[in-house]
Amino acid sequence: MKILLLGARGAVGTVIRRELEQAGHEVDAASRQATGDLGVDLRGDLEPLARIAAHYDAVVNASGVERADIAQMTTSTPLIDISASGAYLEELHARATGPIVLGAGLVPGLSTVLAAGLESLPGDELDVCVMLGSGEQHGPAAVEWTAGLVGAELYRPPEGRSVMNLRGGLRSVGPDGRVRRYLRADFPDHVLLNAVPGRSHGEGGGLRVRSYLTLSSSALTWALAVIGRLPALRGLLKIAPHAGNSNWHVVVHNRRTDERLQAEGVGQSEATGRLAALATIRAVDTALQLPATMADIVSLDDVRSVLA
């Protein structure tokens, strides 16, 4: 299998490349710095991408650049996108002219698989509680995504009213048995589980999915809550110390049944890269033809095996 990888030098991109190459696949890195046909500027003209995409079995966007018109550049070649912005992923789906895996990674991705794996009925409420490792050195795209939450409303929240990021939340038990404070955050599973045809999730009588974020350092979670109410302090996120550890977890809880599915590990970038590589392989192996989420092409056993 021959893969075109956008963002190969990033924290996640390096893991994706390693995983795919170790599985015996050929990976070419496209970037602004690349020469010849692999010179692709995602912030500029996308025509070079449209020209070369047809020569690959899949295109993976791990660049952090969110341009929905990239969906029109890959046509019949599967596009695997690791972005975590609901508005972008919804527009990507709307513009799709071929197969796309929407939100391939940890959250969304693993979280989508867990949410879809719960026994649920229309109208059920699911809480997606995410802990990210505040001790991990994240790439600039991840930092910018977090900073973008500050002072912003959630995109199309299931409440049907304005909900602010990082304000309010809940207390819940993590996989280690510890009770933590989770802040409301704009992870896009409520969008993804409603976007793909054939699913009954999201608004309009389907599942009501709410996502929450905590950090492995309780002190930094507290600080994040303060910044969420004082957006002028947003810049502090870029200079915040990497306190705590690199542990992460995702817990999905059905309020009606009290059923939970969860997963945990060490290293957000490592897990995201492994899961994105898995999604890439599955998209090609299944001859994906339409936009899909991770839950449509990957099983719970698959993700647990990859993360073991």
Side-chain angles (χ1 to χ4, degrees):
M1 188 164 66
K2 190 174 181 181
I3 308 299
L4 182 66
L5 178 57
L6 309 171
R9 296 183 179 181
V12 174
T14 54
V15 178
I16 295 173
R17 182 168 196 166
R18 183 200 70 208
E19 291 294 304
L20 289 173
E21 289 181 340
Q22 287 183 352
H25 305 296
E26 180 182 347
V27 180
D28 287 340
S31 68
R32 287 182 297 174
Q33 292 77 29
T35 58
D37 288 341
L38 295 179
V40 175
D41 184 0
L42 292 182
R43 300 186 187 277
D45 182 14
L46 292 181
E47 182 56 33
L49 176 61
R51 186 174 61 250
I52 65 175
H55 300 288
Y56 289 87
D57 296 299
V59 176
V60 182
N61 181 18
S63 67
V65 176
E66 297 183 345
R67 284 187 61 178
D69 51 347
I70 192 176
Q72 298 163 311
M73 301 297 115
T74 57
T75 59
S76 61
T77 303
L79 171 66
I80 292 82
D81 198 296
I82 73 167
S83 295
S85 299
Y88 165 68
L89 292 174
E90 187 172 68
E91 186 178 0
L92 196 64
H93 176 261
R95 292 197 182 198
T97 58
I100 299 178
V101 180
L102 302 161
L106 191 63
V107 187
L110 170 64
S111 58
T112 320
V113 175
L114 294 174
L118 284 175
E119 291 291 337
S120 304
L121 296 173
D124 280 358
E125 296 180 290
L126 302 188
D127 295 321
V128 180
C129 294
V130 180
M131 184 183 80
L132 299 180
S134 49
E136 182 174 349
Q137 182 72 46
H138 298 289
V143 176
E144 289 176 11
W145 183 88
T146 306
L149 298 178
V150 178
E153 297 181 5
L154 271 75
Y155 179 71
R156 289 208 301 106
E159 290 90 337
R161 58 175 173 78
S162 174
V163 177
M164 300 299 294
N165 277 293
L166 308 178
R167 299 185 190 179
L170 53 75
R171 291 188 177 276
S172 186
V173 180
D176 60 357
R178 176 181 168 187
V179 178
R180 291 180 174 83
R181 179 188 184 191
Y182 295 81
L183 305 171
R184 191 68 192 279
D186 204 2
F187 292 112
D189 278 317
H190 66 289
V191 174
L192 292 183
L193 290 168
N194 188 46
V196 177
R199 292 195 175 279
S200 61
H201 306 84
E203 299 174 345
L207 293 181
R208 299 184 180 276
V209 183
R210 300 179 180 87
S211 298
Y212 304 86
L213 170 66
T214 192
L215 302 176
S216 58
S217 165
S218 57
L220 289 182
T221 301
W222 178 86
L224 192 60
V226 172
I227 293 172
R229 293 188 174 277
L230 299 172
L233 301 178
R234 180 188 292 106
L236 295 177
L237 291 173
K238 297 183 179 180
I239 59 174
H242 296 285
N245 53 42
S246 298
N247 295 347
W248 60 263
H249 67 239
V250 181
V251 180
V252 183
H253 174 226
N254 185 318
R255 294 187 184 184
R256 178 181 62 85
T257 66
D258 203 32
E259 181 187 6
R260 293 171 180 260
L261 284 177
Q262 60 191 36
E264 59 184 316
V266 179
Q268 175 187 345
S269 297
E270 176 72 22
T272 299
R274 291 187 184 189
L275 290 164
L278 171 64
T280 303
I281 294 170
R282 287 290 186 272
V284 177
D285 287 348
T286 60
L288 186 66
Q289 298 296 316
L290 299 171
T293 70
M294 283 275 286
D296 296 302
I297 60 173
V298 172
S299 72
L300 190 54
D301 286 341
D302 287 335
V303 297
R304 284 174 171 164
S305 177
V306 164
L307 294 174

